[in-house]
Amino acid sequence: MIILSLRLLRKTRINGITIFPFIFLRESAFKENKILINHEKIHIRQQLELLIIFFYLWYVVEYYYWCFKLKDKHLAYRNISFEREAYAMEEDLNYLETRKIWSFWKYKV
């Protein structure tokens, strides 16, 4: 895992984005945000479980499914199973030590 600050994110509302093996952050100071980093580490684990490419395919399909169903891009993003798991568990800094494989599956709606 490599954590970098990305200037392109500064003009967005995105605090961080994970593209294996990188975690890109909007601000360098966010490297100290343990909850944000934990959220992104959860995505790293999800990506590894799905051999990276299948994570991105699944993510995009699920995002468009929710966009079509909910007619709201932000709600669509929050309903993606990967995001539901990451947001639900981001404050548990020990989560990845006990997390079972494919745990995102129980966050599917």
Side-chain angles (χ1 to χ4, degrees):
M1 167 188 69
I2 303 162
I3 302 174
L4 301 168
S5 177
L6 188 63
R7 287 185 181 163
L8 292 174
L9 295 178
R10 289 194 181 138
K11 294 184 181 182
T12 71
R13 293 178 20 187
I14 299 169
N15 289 331
I17 188 167
T18 300
I19 302 172
F20 185 84
F22 302 98
I23 295 175
F24 296 105
L25 302 173
R26 182 169 35 142
E27 302 288 337
S28 294
F30 289 169
K31 290 179 184 179
E32 305 305 317
N33 185 331
K34 292 180 182 182
I35 293 171
L36 175 60
I37 298 300
N38 195 47
H39 179 104
E40 299 304 332
K41 283 181 177 180
I42 293 168
H43 289 318
I44 292 270
R45 182 73 57 85
Q46 294 165 339
Q47 291 172 16
L48 287 171
E49 288 171 354
L50 291 169
L51 306 175
I52 302 164
I53 189 67
F54 295 110
F55 170 87
Y56 296 115
L57 291 172
W58 190 327
Y59 194 103
V60 169
V61 168
E62 199 171 337
Y63 174 74
Y64 281 108
Y65 166 79
W66 287 114
C67 271
F68 180 75
K69 186 170 183 175
L70 301 173
K71 310 281 192 259
D72 183 306
K73 291 178 182 180
H74 181 69
L75 282 177
Y77 158 76
R78 290 300 296 245
N79 274 283
I80 297 169
S81 56
F82 303 117
E83 294 299 342
R84 290 170 55 87
E85 178 189 14
Y87 278 110
M89 304 311 295
E90 67 186 4
E91 292 184 25
D92 181 351
L93 301 181
N94 298 313
Y95 176 64
L96 290 173
E97 295 171 17
T98 59
R99 181 184 180 271
K100 294 182 179 161
I101 192 165
W102 286 51
S103 288
F104 65 87
W105 191 260
K106 64 184 168 189
Y107 292 91
K108 290 188 63 57
V109 177

